[in-house]
Amino acid sequence: MTIVRRVVGGLAMPLGSVVFAFVVGGLIVAATGGNPFSAYAGLVCGGFGIGCTQGENPALQISNTIVFLTPLITTGVAVALPFRAGLFNIGAEGQLLAGSMACTAIGIKFSSLPTPILLPMVLLGGMVAGALWAGVAGVLKATVGAHEVVTTIMMNYIAQWLLRYLIIGGPLQLAAGTSKSLPIGPGARLATLLPSDNSLIVFGLPASVYRVHSGLFIAIVAAAVFAFLLWRTTLGYEIRAVGQSQRAARYAGVSVRRTIIVTMLIAGAFSGLAGAIQIAGVDHNLTDKYFSDTTGFDAIAVALLGLGSAVGIVLASLLFGALHAGGSVMQSDAGISSNLVLVLQALILFSIAANFLGAIRQLIPGLRRQAGAPPPETPAAALMTEAAAASEPGSQAT
Amino acid sequence: MTGLSDILHLLYTANLWQAALAAAVLLLLPALGGVISERSGVVNIAMEGMMLTGAFFGVVADLAWHNPWLATGVAILAGGLMALVHAVVSIRFHADQIVSGIAINIFAAGITVFLVNRIYGIQDVGHATQSELLPNFNVPGLDQLPFLGQVLFQQNVVVYAALILLVLVHIVLFRTRLGLRIRAVGEHPQAADTAGINVYLIRYGAVVTSGFLSGLAGAFLAIGVSNTFVPNMTDGRGYIALAAMIFGKWTPFGAFVACLIFGLGQAIYDNNSIIHVSPYLLSMLPYILTLVVLAGLVGRSSPPAADGIPYVPGSE
């Protein structure tokens, strides 16, 4: 009974936040003279291939959603793991870019190698690059107490400019005047699930238009590794202990410094993997599309909405992947800018952070908690109590 | 080292320093906002979003009324309104201030382009037509000084306003009772509350002020430096302002020095046609420098003690 109540209670917050966002988003659409129902119908069609009216291919829409959700899972994990240690990794985007740059560089340099050698090389290379990118923040946090939020923001921008340098006038540029890199070698590419064969017709379209690739399975394995690491290993115990209370963890013999650095390294490796998979599975080269990539920021919403659990992260990735895929259909079918998706995402974040749901519940007499019960803590705050405490001078990580 | 000598040559031109000061002011305004907000104990990484909102509504108002002054007022209010959302969520609802800040930035990026589309019917380009600009103003007499005249006294009106605000913020923060209260609330809200200071009121005021300043910067960007709204036109300036605030150790003049360094980098970047260093590598410098400062290589930089911690009366 208590388990059922906990599951329902656990789902109420994320579902409520999503409902809140869609209601407010719908009001914004209506207030600006649009039709929220046709906007959301476009989103559902684009995201899940359901109820399409303009002849969209449902299978293709679902394929697009899966392509979008794949990197969200791995970067979501990269945000959720540090959360457990009381660290806020805003740097998943920079780490992802570092991973995609390393993957591309290796994939170009060794383009003649066969798949069994080159593919592991580019994926591992991406993970190492992401780990190093996050490691800077981890080391600065553990040694001088520099706040990881600030350092990871700086590292994001350094990655952005490095990317521009590499593909505009830098060593990876395809040709003068272009803003993209050379393609990676054929051995560095992840297989698509369907053969890229134009004569094979699947669900009414040539098989080559479906971009779904085997990176999806890597991402799901990554989520499983995250859950195993967190709950079944000594390191996971140490990470959770540091997140609960650095002082108590220290008394229990945990090296807080070491845990912080290792946590950030692992998180960065997950983000770097996401970047490498995007190159190896989808794009096969770096393009200016990556200048405006927001996967690493979407990952923050994914981690929070998924309540930091592996299953939650996969489900939240599905939602955001569908929103991304749906945005363009909403724009073409309903004439509502796909940027509404960003608005919805921000509203979900507000709702989770501020626990509007809890506040609304307090206003409804039947649902109000018994007097004397402590106010429900917001999940973000619960995940981050130690992060806040650690920014106090004198309680720096030692 | 042709690159280096080119930069040295550039440094002798008044044009460069004139542009550097203008670029610095674009960063200084949100940085001052950040200083005020964080001194009161509310972490603010949302200057980017507040600035973008200000830029957008400034252009909308300017196109509607053809009056840049009125438009600037609208931009300031729009920035303040976004800040009020951050304030309510962080102060009233005790939300995580970093999540709220990220949400503001994402919301601003989304809602501005969404509204461009609704108002002007342009699909995702966001180019509105030309707007009336905030004017330049040459200080009579002083603008004829060699070198300095061009750098300091042939500037946009917003530049002068920002320099006055810089001094004003410094005086208010460190020379007045109000400033003492703001700093007390940011260092030890429990003690401040006990002493009869309204912690919430101070924090609301500080956060909304940061929005006003960021909104003004947005107006300067959209109807001063340029004359249109482009999606995501702030291009990370709010985050560089955040870096400048930290670089300057949460003080107005410290932040100003950082903004000047970053603004100079921007001005050199804009003159990239005559230098041979990749402008993209140069653009990394503000962020790398900030990391160096954070690493403690140039003295420690630590935030106010209660920065980022929601205040709940009666808690310790």
Side-chain angles (χ1 to χ4, degrees), chain B residues 16 42 51 89-90 107 130 137 154 165 172 184 193 212 236 290 310:
Chain B
L16 180 83
V42 180
M51 198 171 158
V89 170
S90 334
F107 186 82
Q130 282 233 343
F137 176 73
Q154 298 179 20
L165 282 167
V172 169
D193 197 1
F212 290 153
T290 305

Side-chain angles (χ1 to χ4, degrees), chain B residues 21-181:
Chain B
L21 183 61
V25 159
L26 267 179
L27 305 172
L28 174 66
L29 288 166
L32 285 177
V35 168
I36 296 171
S37 172
E38 302 224 350
R39 279 285 178 169
S40 83
V42 180
V43 164
N44 194 344
I45 63 169
M47 277 91 79
E48 176 82 4
M50 298 168 187
M51 198 171 158
L52 190 62
T53 314
F56 173 70
F57 283 100
V59 168
V60 171
D62 200 17
L63 287 174
W65 298 322
H66 306 289
N67 183 333
W69 306 104
L70 214 55
T72 303
V74 170
I76 291 172
L77 284 181
L81 205 64
M82 283 305 261
L84 186 63
V85 174
H86 182 54
V88 170
V89 170
S90 334
I91 301 169
R92 160 69 181 81
F93 287 96
H94 310 297
D96 184 273
Q97 294 159 13
I98 293 162
V99 177
S100 169
I102 293 170
I104 294 268
N105 291 339
I106 295 176
F107 186 82
I111 197 77
T112 49
V113 181
F114 173 81
L115 287 177
V116 163
N117 175 251
R118 299 305 304 169
I119 298 173
Y120 303 103
I122 309 165
Q123 284 284 6
D124 265 6
V125 177
H127 285 283
T129 44
Q130 282 233 343
S131 37
E132 302 286 321
L133 297 187
L134 287 165
N136 287 323
F137 176 73
N138 293 352
V139 180
L142 290 173
D143 64 340
Q144 295 308 318
L145 288 172
F147 200 85
L148 278 184
Q150 188 188 349
V151 175
L152 290 178
F153 301 107
Q154 298 179 20
Q155 289 282 4
N156 193 281
V157 283
V158 179
V159 174
Y160 306 114
L163 294 176
I164 294 168
L165 282 167
L166 165 68
V167 177
L168 202 67
V169 170
H170 174 82
I171 291 173
V172 169
L173 266 184
F174 296 106
R175 295 277 181 274
T176 65
R177 288 167 64 91
L178 177 63
L180 186 65
R181 288 178 175 179

Side-chain angles (χ1 to χ4, degrees), chain A residues 23-121:
Chain A
V23 170
V24 177
L27 291 175
I28 291 175
V29 173
T32 52
N35 181 344
F37 298 104
S38 61
Y40 289 155
L43 274 185
V44 172
C45 158
F48 300 106
I50 301 168
C52 294
T53 54
Q54 309 285 320
E56 287 86 0
N57 183 310
L60 182 62
Q61 293 307 328
I62 292 170
S63 157
N64 285 345
T65 295
I66 296 175
V67 170
F68 280 119
L69 75 84
T70 302
L72 286 175
I73 295 176
T74 12
T75 48
V77 166
V79 176
L81 185 73
F83 260 154
R84 293 286 181 169
L87 300 166
F88 201 150
N89 179 18
I90 308 198
E93 183 59 37
Q95 295 144 24
L96 177 148
L97 291 177
S100 63
M101 288 186 273
C103 169
T104 309
I106 297 169
I108 293 171
K109 176 88 181 158
F110 302 99
S111 58
S112 56
L113 290 177
T115 302
I117 302 170
L118 188 55
L119 186 57
M121 267 173 69

